[in-house]
Amino acid sequence: MRIAIIALSAFSIGELHNAICVARQLVQRGAEVLFLTPHNHLDYVRAAGLQAQPLKKTRQQNSVLYDLIATFHPDGLLLADFHNLDQEPELIDSEALASLSIPCATFDSMS
């Protein structure tokens, strides 16, 4: 199983840390996990022993999402800090998420 985790926040690592905890459990169960995260958090994810790629420095991340689907072929997608979609709707369009043919889930400690 392949799981992609997108951690959107460039300003905090709280939800990113939670996502790393989930990712480690998935890896222990045989999953391959790939993070997409802002550049300033790449080392944090990689230091946890997980694969990570940077989000592009752009307001619109839909192209990053579609590239991820085309190249990594995840079986599922997790969004950390999903409340950022309400605060910064330009990051990833909720319609783009709805159009994917894979299960998507979100988690955030603020919800």
Side-chain angles (χ1 to χ4, degrees), residues 41-76:
H41 296 317
L42 286 174
D43 289 341
Y44 189 77
V45 175
R46 290 174 179 160
L50 299 163
Q51 296 180 68
Q53 293 180 355
L55 288 167
K56 292 181 182 176
K57 290 184 179 184
T58 179
R59 298 294 292 166
Q60 185 54 265
Q61 299 290 338
N62 285 347
S63 63
V64 174
L65 178 63
Y66 296 136
D67 289 346
L68 171 72
I69 301 302
T71 58
F72 184 64
H73 307 287
D75 298 301

Side-chain angles (χ1 to χ4, degrees), residues 2 27 32 41 50 52 72 74 77 82-83 94 97 103 108:
R2 293 175 146 204
V27 168
E32 183 178 355
H41 296 317
L50 299 163
F72 184 64
L77 177 67
F82 79 92
H83 72 277
S94 59
L97 289 171
D108 194 299

Side-chain angles (χ1 to χ4, degrees), residues 66-107:
Y66 296 136
D67 289 346
L68 171 72
I69 301 302
T71 58
F72 184 64
H73 307 287
D75 298 301
L77 177 67
L78 294 175
L79 286 171
D81 264 349
F82 79 92
H83 72 277
N84 283 337
L85 292 178
D86 290 331
Q87 295 174 359
E88 301 180 68
E90 305 85 17
L91 289 174
I92 294 178
D93 186 320
S94 59
E95 290 180 20
L97 289 171
S99 73
L100 300 176
S101 60
I102 61 170
C104 298
T106 60
F107 61 93

